[in-house]
Amino acid sequence: MFLIQKQILKGRGFPGAQPRWGALENVEGVQFMPRARGGNRRAWCPGAQPGWATSENGERVQFTPRARGVPGHLLQMDLTKPGDISRALEFTKAHTTSTGLWGLVNNAGFNDVVADAELAPLATFRSCMEVNFFGTLQLTKGLLPLLRRSRGRIVTLGSPAGDMPYPCLGAYGTSKAAVVLLMDTFNCELLPWGVKVSVIQPGCFKTESVKNVSNWERRKRLLLTSLPQELLQAYGEDYIEHVHGQFLHSLSLALPDLSPVVDAIIDALLAAHPPSRYYPGRGVGLMYFIHYYLPEGLRRRFLQAFFISPCLPSALRPGKPGSTPTQDAAQDPDPSPGPSPTVAQ
């Protein structure tokens, strides 16, 4: 997680603007600073050069990446440790006493297992909830007095996996569903205070976690070694390998340009009337159309074709004692899966 210093230049964009602050969860630092008009108009994303954004009310903002270790700008935080969150809250309050807190961007996204819910360890469900839900809840509640005072913004990164039953993303998806419902609740309850709440539901983008294939390989091996023998026999090692292979293929199709997500964050922070939902990324609009308007069977088949289409578990294959696969389960299509929302943050 890191804090953002946000210096917004109102009006014509002359030097001397007062700093205002926002908080953004992640592991890199960024500073928002004023610039005169006339520069390149482009948003900042991790690893990019300094750039521009313009709000609807004429504010001009420059996004400048900050190096690690810069005093006052970068805080290391573990969202599972209340002490870390408390220190971040105290730091933010100390630096926003006179300027106010304009925005909080919740970007926490944790998942370490891609497997059927029955195969995923209970600890994974707990870890996903601790980071993606409870950590976000504690931080947001701690900053709400400052955000109410400034009539500011809360922006949270969700996931389509929190809205749709993506195969093998039960732990991650349920935690994202919980945090999105929480933000919808905040959106209603904070309306009288003038605080605007937005949720961003991105597709799959090529973040550091997506590119770290060796890490996903290591997690798969840990899953195989930790499964009870009964479950391993019922599903089969080849079943888990098949799921893992399709998952890695979906990650290989992730979008390398993060600017659609960054643009959505900027708009949610600076637009006069930001929408409550943003859907950046290739094919996300089609996914939601299918999810809301097509029959359940077609929705399920689409998600399997788009993401992961599991093969039959070992115990259900023909010739195994007691195997009675349904017509749907007996089919084993092998489509080329598309982008996954597993690690969109």
Side-chain angles (χ1 to χ4, degrees), residues 10 13 25 35 39 70 81-82 85 89 92 94 136 145 165 174-175 213 228 256 290 294 305 307 309 314 326 342:
K10 294 182 177 293
E25 294 180 32
R35 275 189 60 179
V70 177
K81 297 179 179 178
I85 297 178
L89 292 175
T92 306
T136 299
T174 50
S175 67
V213 175
I290 290 174
L294 294 189
F307 180 46
S309 179
S314 176
T326 64
T342 308

Side-chain angles (χ1 to χ4, degrees), residues 5-21:
Q5 185 179 18
K6 179 183 177 186
Q7 292 179 288
I8 296 182
L9 197 59
K10 294 182 177 293
R12 293 291 178 180
F14 293 103
Q18 295 298 313
R20 298 167 74 184
W21 282 76

Side-chain angles (χ1 to χ4, degrees), residues 65-138:
R66 297 289 294 181
R68 293 178 180 273
V70 177
H73 293 285
L74 179 63
L75 291 178
Q76 295 291 341
M77 186 189 313
D78 185 338
L79 283 177
T80 65
K81 297 179 179 178
D84 282 13
I85 297 178
S86 297
R87 282 190 294 273
L89 292 175
E90 292 303 317
F91 178 87
T92 306
K93 292 173 183 177
H95 287 79
T96 58
T97 302
S98 59
T99 59
L101 176 69
W102 174 250
L104 164 66
V105 180
N106 294 307
N107 191 39
F110 172 79
N111 182 43
D112 64 355
V113 169
V114 178
D116 292 56
E118 186 180 15
L119 301 179
L122 186 59
T124 295
F125 283 84
R126 295 186 187 277
S127 298
C128 286
M129 289 299 295
E130 284 294 333
V131 175
N132 303 340
F133 177 77
F134 287 109
T136 299
L137 172 62
Q138 183 178 354

Side-chain angles (χ1 to χ4, degrees), residues 192-225:
W193 296 93
V195 177
K196 294 181 172 62
V197 181
S198 298
V199 172
I200 299 173
Q201 304 282 55
C204 189
F205 290 84
K206 196 160 287 186
T207 61
E208 290 302 317
S209 179
V210 169
K211 292 184 288 186
N212 194 350
V213 175
S214 62
N215 192 36
W216 291 109
E217 292 281 359
R218 179 181 60 85
R219 292 172 178 178
K220 178 204 67 178
R221 292 194 299 270
L222 286 175
L223 175 65
L224 285 171
T225 57

Side-chain angles (χ1 to χ4, degrees), residues 243-324:
V243 166
H244 181 71
Q246 291 211 334
F247 171 69
L248 290 184
H249 179 70
S250 74
L251 295 189
S252 71
L253 302 177
L255 299 175
D257 181 11
L258 302 180
S259 60
V261 179
V262 178
D263 290 343
I265 294 173
I266 294 169
D267 191 77
L269 287 171
L270 300 181
H273 302 287
S276 60
R277 288 287 192 280
Y278 292 84
Y279 301 97
R282 180 178 57 204
V284 178
L286 175 62
M287 289 164 49
Y288 274 91
F289 175 84
I290 290 174
H291 176 67
Y292 286 121
Y293 294 106
L294 294 189
E296 180 182 354
L298 291 178
R299 298 200 306 263
R300 182 174 63 252
R301 289 175 183 271
F302 173 77
L303 284 178
Q304 290 177 342
F306 188 76
F307 180 46
I308 290 177
S309 179
C311 62
L312 276 178
S314 176
L316 294 179
R317 293 169 194 167
K320 295 287 183 178
S323 61
T324 55

Side-chain angles (χ1 to χ4, degrees), residues 35-52:
R35 275 189 60 179
R37 295 179 182 270
N40 288 334
R41 175 178 168 79
R42 63 176 242 161
W44 180 89
C45 63
Q49 297 300 313
W52 280 85

